[in-house]
């Protein structure tokens, strides 16, 4: 039995690092949830374990630094024919285990379906190893855009993924900004926590966009834009947080995946600084067309806050060539650091503090919804 050494993942020295360095501390302080964090290390009555697959190991290491926990060494091998093999290197019997694994591709040879198989096998391995509770932290939930039948003879792929996770024996799922909130229902009796990131967007807008554009009164000069009708609620949450003038919606007619036939706008953006808020940016075609439309309608400047930056080729080229777009902000729900050198417009928000807070509250049986209690809007 021979493994493909090119994509073999070994535990690194970073897996034993407990606590953030000074450089990490500065990165985390720039986020909304780390600035509110009251505790440092997590106090537990039984062991908590955090482990990960290969999809986004950097995010898992950041989470462990915040929780002051070591990343549990896990060996993920891939045989020459592509089969995935898993081995958790430490005893997890009776432990509360959290798996950090977005179902996304990266630049180390992992594609979406390999990441999905790693997640399923990690859950199965932990179940066979008698873990007390298994929580899957899936920041990006793949196949979420296929959440219903839009034409005859097509699958509801999001439901299939949910059934696979349930079948492997996962006890709880935590995800970030699901494409469609109703996907939680596909898990039936398995709890699913869908964490919004609107507070991070609001913090970025207040500390960066308002300053860059010299906005004196956000209620008169700032407009939040939803690129489709389904994202209006997300845009409203950001607008309320930053006290924006209002929300504008873009209606689009899609002829097929990643192809838009026509776009229309509902609302007025003349003289406004616009911030597009959406959950996914894939090839960037829709985003760039929306930016061009806003500029045509008289927008002063256009920014975009996107939770999951898939950034499939030719997205980076389109963003670089789109003169209407000032800046593209994404989270690190999937690895995007490799794109920074190619795109000067790209800014990355760290969501490790948010996920660390959710993990701690889950482990200590405290409310997760309390994280998002509405705070008083900060004066401009």
């Amino acid at each position: 039995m021979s493994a493909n050494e090119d994509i073999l993942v070994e535990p690194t020295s970073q897996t034993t690092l407990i606590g953030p360095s000074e450089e990490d501390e500065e990165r985390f302080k720039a986020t909304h949830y780390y600035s509110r964090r009251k505790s440092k290390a997590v106090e537990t009555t039984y062991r908590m374990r955090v482990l990960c697959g290969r999809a986004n190991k950097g995010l898992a290491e950041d989470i462990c630094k915040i929780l002051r926990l070591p990343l549990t060494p896990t060996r993920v091998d891939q045989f020459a024919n592509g089969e995935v093999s898993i081995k958790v290197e430490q005893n997890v019997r009776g432990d509360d285990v959290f798996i950090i694994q977005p179902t996304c591709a990266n630049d180390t040879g992992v594609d979406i379906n390999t990441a999905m198989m790693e997640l399923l096998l990690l859950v199965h391995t932990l179940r066979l190893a008698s873990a007390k509770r298994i929580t899957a932290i899936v920041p990006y939930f793949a196949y979420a855009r296929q959440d219903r039948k839009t034409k005859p003879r097509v699958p509801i792929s999001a439901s299939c993924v949910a059934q696979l996770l349930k079948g492997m024996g996962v006890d709880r799922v935590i995800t970030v900004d699901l494409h469609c909130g109703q996907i939680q229902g596909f898990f039936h009796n398995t709890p699913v926590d869908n964490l919004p990131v609107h507070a991070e967007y609001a913090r970025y807008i207040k500390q960066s966009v308002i300053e860059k554009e010299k906005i004196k009164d956000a209620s008169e000069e700032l407009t939040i834009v939803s690129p489709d009708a389904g994202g209006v609620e997300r845009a409203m949450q950001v607008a309320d947080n930053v006290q924006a003038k209002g929300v504008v919606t873009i209606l689009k007619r899609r002829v097929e995946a990643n192809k838009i036939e026509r776009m229309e706008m509902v609302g007025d953006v003349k003289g406004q600084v616009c911030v597009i808020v959406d959950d996914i940016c894939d090839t960037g075609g829709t985003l760039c067309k929306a930016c061009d439309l806003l500029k045509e309608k008289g927008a002063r400047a256009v920014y975009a806050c996107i939770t999951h930056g898939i950034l499939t080729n030719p997205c980076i080229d389109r963003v670089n060539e789109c003169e209407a777009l000032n800046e593209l902000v994404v989270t690190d729900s999937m690895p995007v650091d490799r794109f920074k050198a190619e795109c000067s417009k790209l800014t990355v928000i760290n969501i490790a503090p948010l996920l660390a807070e959710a993990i701690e509250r889950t482990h200590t049986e405290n409310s997760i919804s309390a994280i998002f209690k509405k705070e008083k809007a900060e004066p401009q």
Side-chain angles (χ1 to χ4, degrees), residues 27 45 47 49 62 117 160 203 284 287 303:
R27 279 195 303 122
T45 55
R47 286 187 306 189
R49 297 280 193 179
D62 280 351
M117 184 56 68
C160 293
R203 183 184 180 92
L287 173 64
Y303 293 79

Side-chain angles (χ1 to χ4, degrees), residues 322-333:
C322 182
E323 296 180 0
L325 178 61
N326 292 56
E327 191 170 2
L328 171 61
V329 181
V330 300
T331 73
D332 59 350
S333 63

Side-chain angles (χ1 to χ4, degrees), residues 121-138:
L121 292 179
L122 281 167
V123 173
H124 182 59
T125 300
L126 293 168
R127 182 56 64 205
L128 294 177
S130 301
K132 181 177 182 179
R133 179 170 61 183
I134 304 168
T135 302
I137 311 292
V138 191

Side-chain angles (χ1 to χ4, degrees), residues 6 46 74 95 142 153 178 209 218 229 246 255 270 276 285 290 318 323 327 330 337 340 352-353 365:
D6 291 336
Y46 59 100
T74 305
D95 293 350
R153 297 174 298 282
L178 272 175
V209 176
V255 290
K270 189 173 182 180
I276 298 172
R318 285 174 172 170
E323 296 180 0
E327 191 170 2
V330 300
D337 284 343
K340 284 183 177 180
E365 306 293 349

